[in-house]
Amino acid sequence: CDDVRQHVPPGPPPPPPALRRTLGAALAPRRPPALLARRAATTKTTTGIVGLPVDPHARETLIALNEQLLDEIKQVPEGAEYRKSVEATCNYRLKCLRENEDEATLEELIGMGQLEELIESQTEELGVLRMYVAEEMWKVIAELDTPEVKLD
């Protein structure tokens, strides 16, 4: 049986690793940006922070956490400063998360460290919010906000 496959000469050899790192940006146009972003997210093996594991779906996790915070903050009266602050923060973060897929870009835009750190922070904020609602803290703050004790 004769081999009827054609011999296809190999393409140029890849550049050495050091040159690939240097030319990374120049080589990027060969791959779609969305593929590069997904690839970068899946190759992260550590956060570099002891006890804080990598979340391979950090962006999606943060979208869900911010949506949950926005839903639960509705239990707080509209005029409460805490509600205004949480809503503004979550809406900004959701805008960033929905408009960008690249982890490094998101981390820079949000400015709170790695996405995994933000997940931890948002999870803790949910706990604070639930305590705030359970204890009706907006009433306590309103009581303290008197002419004698001005909270500003």
Side-chain angles (χ1 to χ4, degrees):
C1 212
D2 291 327
D3 189 3
V4 291
R5 289 179 285 172
Q6 288 183 315
H7 174 68
V8 178
L19 186 58
R20 273 196 303 259
R21 282 191 295 275
T22 305
L23 296 176
L27 297 174
R30 294 183 183 180
R31 298 180 192 104
L35 178 61
L36 287 174
R38 271 185 264 132
R39 184 172 167 248
T42 58
T43 58
K44 184 176 179 180
T45 59
T46 180
T47 61
I49 301 170
V50 175
L52 187 62
V54 171
D55 183 338
H57 307 287
R59 182 176 162 271
E60 293 79 9
T61 301
L62 280 168
I63 288 171
L65 278 168
N66 279 281
E67 288 173 344
Q68 187 173 3
L69 277 163
L70 283 173
D71 185 53
E72 292 192 28
I73 197 70
K74 291 176 185 172
Q75 299 173 69
V76 176
E78 286 186 22
E81 291 300 319
Y82 179 60
R83 177 173 173 166
K84 292 176 190 175
S85 175
V86 168
E87 286 177 334
T89 301
C90 288
N91 284 325
Y92 172 74
R93 289 176 179 169
L94 278 171
K95 181 180 183 293
C96 293
L97 290 161
R98 288 180 176 142
E99 292 177 359
N100 300 280
E101 291 188 16
D102 179 60
E103 190 170 322
T105 301
L106 287 167
E107 289 171 352
E108 185 177 325
L109 285 170
I110 295 172
M112 295 294 293
Q114 296 180 54
L115 295 185
E116 288 83 0
E117 291 175 280
L118 191 55
I119 289 168
E120 190 173 76
S121 173
Q122 295 288 91
T123 302
E124 290 171 359
E125 190 67 43
L126 260 175
V128 170
L129 172 57
R130 290 172 180 158
M131 181 273 312
Y132 189 89
V133 169
E135 300 297 324
E136 297 182 331
M137 294 302 293
W138 58 90
K139 291 180 181 177
V140 175
I141 292 170
E143 289 173 13
L144 291 174
D145 197 13
T146 63
E148 296 83 34
V149 182
K150 198 67 179 155
L151 298 176
D152 47 0

